[in-house]
Amino acid sequence: AGPRGGRKCLHDPLAPGVPRVSGDPSPGRRCERIMAASKPVEGPGGGGSGGGGGTGLSRWQLALVLGAPILLGAGALYLWGRRAARRGGKGASERKTPEGRASPGPCGGSGGGGGGGQPDGPGHEEMSPLDRAQAAKNKGNKYFKAGKYEQAIQCYTEAISLCPPEKNLDLSTFYQNRAAAYEQLQKWTEVAQDCTKAVELNPKYVKALFRRAKAHEKLDNKKECLEDVTAVCILEAFQNQQSMLLADKVLKLLGKEKAKEKYKNREPLMPSPQFIKAYFSSFTDDIISQPLLKGEKSDEDKDKEGEASEVKENSGYLRAKQYMEEENYDKIISESTKEIEAKGKYMAEALLLRATFYLLIGNANAAKPDLDQVISMEDANVKLRANALIKRGSMYMQQQQPVLSTQDFNMAADIDPQNADVYHHRGQLKILLDQIEEAVEDFDECIRLRPDSALAQAQKCFALYRQAYTGNNPLPVQVAMKGFEDVIKKFPKCAEGYALYAQALTDQQQFGKADEMYDKCIDLEPDNATTYVHKGLLQLQWKQDLDKGLELISKAIEIDNKCDFAYETMGTIEVQRGNLDKAIEMFNKAINLAKSEMEMAHLYSLCDAAYAQTEVAKKYGLKPPTL
């Protein structure tokens, strides 16, 4: 898992971008890089909603690419942003000046050509009230551009008082301009109040909505800020980077707040057997996941089919291992605790096993002391200590502490240099840190130690492909694609090889062949729910076949009703279909299955985004385009 709040986002299993992070308690989660986008400088006053020759959002910043859900942190709510970007997005406009000309006009105050509220030239007596109001506004604009915001406010106030009440659009402009001046003085309450007046007079006034959103942000009114900026994004057809970035920022803050409270009080939830088995299969040198040895079972009982074997010793750890073989996972923590409390001979193994299951149920706080203790036991089996370091390092990465994570992986390599798992999992960490060359070195070392490691060879290919693809270099891409062909030929029973190849093929828009690779994956691992989700997403990107896509994702939920990725993906699709209530239901199901606070924050952001759109639809009748 990569740090969500920085330049990494932990999201979907097996998604294009990075292979499974198998050492994480959320195996199969992926991390898409968010390419850094410089946030535009906020200028004074309300300029236009457009932008000059802006670049729009980069591919990695767009909300969702059908078939490969690339989610921009919490901003993933705007799932139609990709389609809008194809039409040519606007850049980050700075909305700098108030509306109207800056020519002199009648308004109190000093400076400028009009002088002390005197009429501006002959014919003033014949001016209509609206003309006089416009003249006051124009004078205010001149003061605004000169940085004389108090005088500008006086002029805009005069324009408001002179304007006929039936002139809604003009009056809304005057309120919005006064809000722009208040903004320069950082009077956020007044900004929000004047923008509210402007929006009441002109409900689809983008500048007023966006300025009010910024005021709500300063006043820490996150929900109101989100609703306003959501309306702006819809009105601008998701073409303006500035409003998209504000939406993303607020959604992340809201998500973190809600997740912190929810995660603190959540009930631990054991993942599905499929998830647990996939997690342990990512280790080859993990003593605690190995089957009971011949001498550890009763010979009489172990041969009785259909009956649980009895362990010879009165050991909580050995009973826990037996429960693992029976997939009776709920009893493992309690049995391991018995071994630890008795200070039995398998105490180190029991600590590591208990810590592992604490991680699996999402209780990192309970896992860390057990991992710390194993790591500090210098007389313990070195493979136990190395495995504990790998798991603690993965936990740190999930907690957005890459320095501590790197330290743990390096220490594991120092104490157990012949452990292939260390290099395999550290290679994945290096991918998340965009250190591709170092990742390839680690995969090579893993392969040297275990030449039959199909997973490491497939992930090495993916690392090389990723490097070539992001570098937009066709020749290395072709070499990497050839590498995938070699891997699946050499290891025809490695489902991960087909899955990673399918992702690369999808990137290259070779949809038919990608579909074949997913079918191979399903043949090898028919109970892998995430493969069905990705095959479903492929149908949307390839054939725009919504029914088939949803059918496959529903199949994933049928296989594993604890597959949070399936619920999350279903929610994103329902948003695109305009079924916001259904989307919120799916996101809430995923939230209840989240295995980390960071993951939960992301899901809350998606849910809040969908909810904001329902509120905007009610208030302004605004709905984004749907599939």
Side-chain angles (χ1 to χ4, degrees), residues 562-576:
K562 293 182 179 179
C563 180
D564 54 335
F565 174 42
Y567 292 115
E568 177 184 346
T569 306
M570 188 82 81
T572 62
I573 292 172
E574 293 296 355
V575 169
Q576 292 197 62

Side-chain angles (χ1 to χ4, degrees), residues 442-516:
D442 274 339
F443 289 135
D444 280 338
E445 182 62 13
C446 176
I447 294 164
R448 185 188 71 78
L449 292 167
R450 284 191 176 272
D452 60 345
S453 177
L455 189 57
Q457 298 204 31
Q459 291 183 336
K460 175 188 172 182
C461 280
F462 197 87
L464 292 170
Y465 166 75
R466 176 74 171 160
Q467 185 180 46
Y469 181 78
T470 55
N472 198 26
N473 196 331
L475 184 58
V477 167
Q478 292 173 13
V479 172
M481 299 298 276
K482 174 66 167 57
F484 280 120
E485 290 283 357
D486 294 340
V487 167
I488 62 176
K489 185 176 180 179
K490 185 176 181 181
F491 302 102
K493 294 187 177 180
C494 176
E496 186 86 358
Y498 294 106
L500 292 174
Y501 190 24
Q503 291 169 37
L505 289 164
T506 301
D507 277 342
Q508 298 300 310
Q509 298 189 9
Q510 297 181 39
F511 301 127
K513 194 167 183 179
D515 197 46
E516 292 175 13

Side-chain angles (χ1 to χ4, degrees), residues 258-278:
K258 292 186 176 181
K260 186 174 183 179
E261 186 62 27
K262 170 84 171 178
Y263 197 76
K264 184 171 59 177
N265 301 312
R266 72 191 282 270
E267 289 292 325
L269 180 68
M270 189 65 68
S272 66
Q274 297 96 316
F275 184 98
I276 293 171
K277 286 186 283 187

Side-chain angles (χ1 to χ4, degrees), residues 148-361:
K148 298 178 179 180
Y149 302 116
E150 295 285 4
Q151 292 96 320
I153 287 168
Q154 292 177 22
C155 290
Y156 296 141
T157 300
E158 180 176 339
I160 290 166
S161 66
L162 290 170
C163 185
E166 69 275 10
K167 297 295 183 179
N168 287 7
L169 295 182
D170 295 288
L171 198 51
S172 69
T173 298
F174 303 154
Y175 275 113
Q176 197 281 144
N177 281 11
R178 190 169 72 176
Y182 279 130
E183 182 180 47
Q184 297 305 309
L185 300 174
Q186 299 186 25
K187 294 185 176 182
W188 305 113
T189 300
E190 288 84 352
V191 173
Q193 289 172 347
D194 272 4
C195 287
T196 296
K197 289 282 189 183
V199 171
E200 287 172 355
L201 293 161
N202 180 4
K204 297 183 179 180
Y205 197 171
V206 169
K207 296 173 194 174
L209 283 164
F210 187 71
R211 181 157 279 113
R212 187 171 69 177
K214 292 188 291 181
H216 281 314
E217 180 194 9
K218 296 293 185 181
L219 294 167
D220 201 31
N221 300 329
K222 297 183 185 68
K223 179 176 177 291
E224 292 81 1
C225 174
L226 178 59
E227 289 180 12
D228 280 347
V229 77
T230 297
V232 170
C233 287
I234 295 173
L235 286 166
E236 293 179 328
F238 303 90
Q239 301 283 299
N240 192 294
Q241 188 173 357
Q242 192 179 14
S243 47
M244 292 284 282
L245 288 171
L246 177 58
D248 186 68
K249 177 182 177 182
V250 177
L251 280 165
K252 286 177 180 175
L253 291 172
L254 273 171
K256 285 179 181 178
E257 283 182 4
K258 292 186 176 181
K260 186 174 183 179
E261 186 62 27
K262 170 84 171 178
Y263 197 76
K264 184 171 59 177
N265 301 312
R266 72 191 282 270
E267 289 292 325
L269 180 68
M270 189 65 68
S272 66
Q274 297 96 316
F275 184 98
I276 293 171
K277 286 186 283 187
Y279 174 74
F280 280 110
S281 71
S282 69
F283 296 93
T284 57
D285 278 327
D286 185 0
I287 292 173
I288 63 169
S289 64
Q290 302 304 316
L292 284 168
L293 300 175
K294 183 175 180 181
E296 294 173 338
K297 299 185 191 178
S298 162
D299 290 336
E300 179 183 350
D301 287 335
K302 74 176 182 179
D303 292 331
K304 295 179 181 178
E305 290 189 17
E307 295 184 17
S309 300
E310 297 286 337
V311 296
K312 280 187 171 182
E313 302 178 51
N314 183 24
S315 164
Y317 170 70
L318 294 180
R319 283 194 297 272
K321 288 261 293 197
Q322 185 61 48
Y323 285 133
M324 274 190 69
E325 291 187 13
E326 298 166 3
E327 298 183 16
N328 192 353
Y329 300 119
D330 289 326
K331 294 185 177 181
I332 289 175
I333 289 176
S334 61
E335 290 299 331
S336 298
T337 300
K338 291 176 185 177
E339 181 80 17
I340 294 163
E341 290 175 346
K343 296 185 177 179
K345 73 174 186 178
Y346 298 106
M347 184 173 173
E349 289 88 344
L351 282 164
L352 182 56
L353 183 59
R354 185 171 73 173
T356 302
F357 273 85
Y358 277 142
L359 290 173
L360 285 167
I361 65 174

Side-chain angles (χ1 to χ4, degrees), residues 507-620:
D507 277 342
Q508 298 300 310
Q509 298 189 9
Q510 297 181 39
F511 301 127
K513 194 167 183 179
D515 197 46
E516 292 175 13
M517 294 301 106
Y518 283 131
D519 285 339
K520 294 270 192 183
C521 224
I522 289 170
D523 288 342
L524 290 166
E525 293 183 351
D527 61 347
N528 188 330
T530 60
T531 306
Y532 285 92
V533 178
H534 279 283
K535 184 174 169 67
L537 286 167
L538 179 64
Q539 308 311 306
L540 296 177
Q541 186 177 6
W542 179 21
K543 300 178 179 178
Q544 292 75 52
D545 190 340
L546 194 61
D547 291 337
K548 182 64 175 177
L550 290 173
E551 177 189 327
L552 286 162
I553 296 168
S554 297
K555 175 70 173 175
I557 293 171
E558 180 185 325
I559 290 170
D560 181 2
N561 64 4
K562 293 182 179 179
C563 180
D564 54 335
F565 174 42
Y567 292 115
E568 177 184 346
T569 306
M570 188 82 81
T572 62
I573 292 172
E574 293 296 355
V575 169
Q576 292 197 62
R577 298 175 76 197
N579 299 332
L580 295 175
D581 290 337
K582 181 68 173 177
I584 291 168
E585 177 190 343
M586 293 295 103
F587 290 140
N588 278 322
K589 286 186 176 182
I591 286 167
N592 291 329
L593 295 167
K595 298 171 186 69
S596 71
E597 186 176 326
M598 184 169 61
E599 183 180 346
M600 189 177 284
H602 161 66
L603 291 165
Y604 264 122
S605 298
L606 297 181
C607 193
D608 286 339
Y611 180 76
Q613 290 167 48
T614 65
E615 293 301 295
V616 167
K618 291 175 190 174
K619 286 183 180 180
Y620 307 111

